[in-house]
Amino acid sequence: MAPTRGATIGDADGKLYLQLYSLQLRPQASDLTADESGLADVCPVCKSSRYLNPNMRFKINPECYHRMCESCIDRIFSQGPAPCPVAGCGRTLRKGRFKTQTFEDVKIERECDIRAEISKVFNRREEEFTGLRAYNDYLEKVEDIAFNLINKIDVAATQAKLAAYKAENSTSIARNSVLANQEHVSFEEQEAAQRELSRLNREAAFKEMEDEKREREAGRKEMINRIATGSGDPDEIARQSQKVVLKQSTARRTAAEKARQQQHAQDTKQVKSKEVLGSTIGNGAADSSFTFAGLKPVVMAEPEKPYDPLGGVRMEPQYYTLQSYYEHSWLDNARNDPQITAGGYDVTEYYTRALLESNAGLCCFIADEKAVTLDLDDEAVGTAGAALAAAEKGGIEMDVDP
């Protein structure tokens, strides 16, 4: 008798046995994805199948990411917002937010949408931070926010903080958004100019090749006609024809290269990035809990200073600080001695000159100055040579009257 389900088979002694367990021909329904279970091509609302309607198209709404066909979307949401018809959802959906699914996996589609929304708010640039470390810390905090929203961890609190940060930093967000758009437009203009330049270069090269071919053919015909008429030596006629063709080809290539350079210079001048006016950049208040360390302070444009004929040069001391009073016995006597102060002498002039002379040699390196070669004129060279010669001979004796 054939063994039944769950029966045991063994020999006479009972040493060998085989247990037949329950066999499942397919996995459980909970372990199947929508594509494996065949539900990917069935609308969960009207139960229509793509097998019966090959032209059926599905869309999703970022609010709940439930798939449904276009017919159900038009039928349910044409009159305005309505709850999601999928059982157990109930979220309010709008027809304008439905979109075609890009990725096959809905989880990936949802993650991409969340990251796109976060990038619109946290769009600070690296140059806004004091260093790379501060910028990396900012990116790490943004990634923590994305992780919480993607994995549904403290969603309500995170969204509230996100909305508060967006409201507090609307100026910087708008500024960086405009800057990013202008960079994108500038990049597209450069790409279009580069493609146009490549197309013009190809057309010029093709035209140059056609002109050269035509000139070579015309020169060949002229050479044959001259040889046929017998007006000269055939070898000499052939050499002259080759020289003429080579000269014309060189002149044509030079003119074409010059024209391409002028066109390239003109295109380069036309494609320029537009200047973006700076604005105040916020850092997030304490209420939002989204504060980022390392942001550079906003430096407002300074007003134009009055004209200075000296160009900012001042006679103020650079390497020391001049005090108004120095305690010293000699200075005290000089301040109180009528013989010194009667003529208007001020002791301040004394220590001002003393400090100036004591610090006058700072940052002056004689060895470096000697190493510099000076361009001397003929008179100066002669004077230096005479001084050197006098030094080698032990000096110059001069007759001095007693």
Side-chain angles (χ1 to χ4, degrees), residues 265-283:
Q266 184 178 1
D267 294 339
T268 305
K269 291 181 180 180
Q270 291 178 355
V271 180
K272 293 183 178 179
S273 58
K274 298 180 180 179
E275 182 180 1
V276 180
L277 297 177
S279 57
T280 305
I281 301 177
N283 191 24

Side-chain angles (χ1 to χ4, degrees), residues 73-351:
I73 295 174
D74 295 337
R75 176 172 52 84
I76 298 174
F77 302 99
S78 295
Q79 301 299 327
C84 178
V86 178
C89 181
R91 294 188 178 182
T92 302
L93 306 181
R94 291 171 173 79
K95 182 179 179 181
R97 297 202 62 188
F98 280 91
K99 66 175 185 175
T100 304
Q101 186 174 346
T102 304
F103 299 95
E104 185 177 359
D105 192 348
V106 180
K107 294 181 179 179
I108 299 178
E109 186 80 22
R110 177 175 173 271
E111 180 177 351
C112 292
D113 292 342
I114 291 175
R115 291 187 179 276
E117 291 297 327
I118 292 176
S119 63
K120 293 179 181 179
V121 179
F122 297 97
N123 57 355
R124 294 193 180 276
R125 307 164 69 86
E126 183 177 354
E127 55 266 22
E128 297 182 34
F129 293 84
T130 56
L132 182 60
R133 179 60 181 271
Y135 181 62
N136 289 335
D137 293 341
Y138 161 77
L139 295 179
E140 185 177 358
K141 289 186 178 181
V142 174
E143 186 63 26
D144 293 340
I145 297 169
F147 181 83
N148 291 341
L149 294 179
I150 292 171
N151 296 278
K152 300 180 180 180
I153 302 174
D154 297 335
V155 177
T158 304
Q159 288 181 347
K161 294 177 182 178
L162 188 65
Y165 178 86
K166 183 177 181 180
E168 295 163 2
N169 299 271
S170 58
T171 303
S172 63
I173 293 172
R175 171 186 174 275
N176 290 336
S177 178
V178 171
L179 184 60
N181 292 335
Q182 290 183 349
E183 289 179 350
H184 179 68
V185 172
S186 177
F187 176 77
E188 289 185 346
E189 290 179 354
Q190 292 179 3
E191 289 292 324
Q194 187 65 28
R195 290 193 297 268
E196 181 66 17
L197 182 61
S198 300
R199 184 186 65 83
L200 294 177
N201 290 339
R202 289 194 300 269
E203 292 180 354
F206 180 76
K207 185 176 181 299
E208 180 181 349
M209 184 178 61
E210 292 293 330
D211 294 342
E212 184 176 356
K213 182 178 179 181
R214 190 182 306 106
E215 291 178 359
R216 189 182 298 109
E217 186 66 22
R220 178 174 171 275
K221 290 181 179 180
E222 183 180 359
M223 180 184 64
I224 293 174
N225 292 333
R226 292 181 60 185
I227 294 175
T229 56
S231 58
D233 185 14
D235 296 336
E236 183 65 23
I237 293 175
R239 285 194 297 269
Q240 292 179 358
S241 299
Q242 291 179 356
K243 289 181 180 179
V244 172
V245 172
L246 181 61
K247 184 181 297 185
Q248 292 176 352
S249 177
T250 303
R252 184 180 58 256
R253 291 178 180 176
T254 303
E257 182 65 24
K258 185 176 181 181
R260 282 195 294 267
Q261 292 178 357
Q262 293 178 353
Q263 182 66 27
H264 178 68
Q266 184 178 1
D267 294 339
T268 305
K269 291 181 180 180
Q270 291 178 355
V271 180
K272 293 183 178 179
S273 58
K274 298 180 180 179
E275 182 180 1
V276 180
L277 297 177
S279 57
T280 305
I281 301 177
N283 191 24
D287 297 337
S288 68
S289 299
F290 286 155
T291 56
F292 304 104
L295 284 172
K296 292 181 181 179
V298 180
V299 180
M300 303 301 294
E302 297 181 358
E304 186 176 356
K305 297 181 180 180
Y307 173 73
D308 185 4
L310 299 179
V313 178
R314 295 292 180 269
M315 301 304 296
E316 299 174 356
Q318 183 177 1
Y319 303 106
Y320 62 92
T321 302
L322 183 62
Q323 300 180 6
S324 60
Y325 180 83
Y326 289 93
E327 185 176 358
H328 193 273
S329 59
W330 186 88
L331 294 177
D332 293 339
N333 294 331
R335 292 190 187 96
N336 300 325
D337 191 352
Q339 296 180 359
I340 298 177
T341 59
Y345 180 77
D346 190 359
V347 182
T348 306
E349 298 180 1
Y350 167 75
Y351 54 74

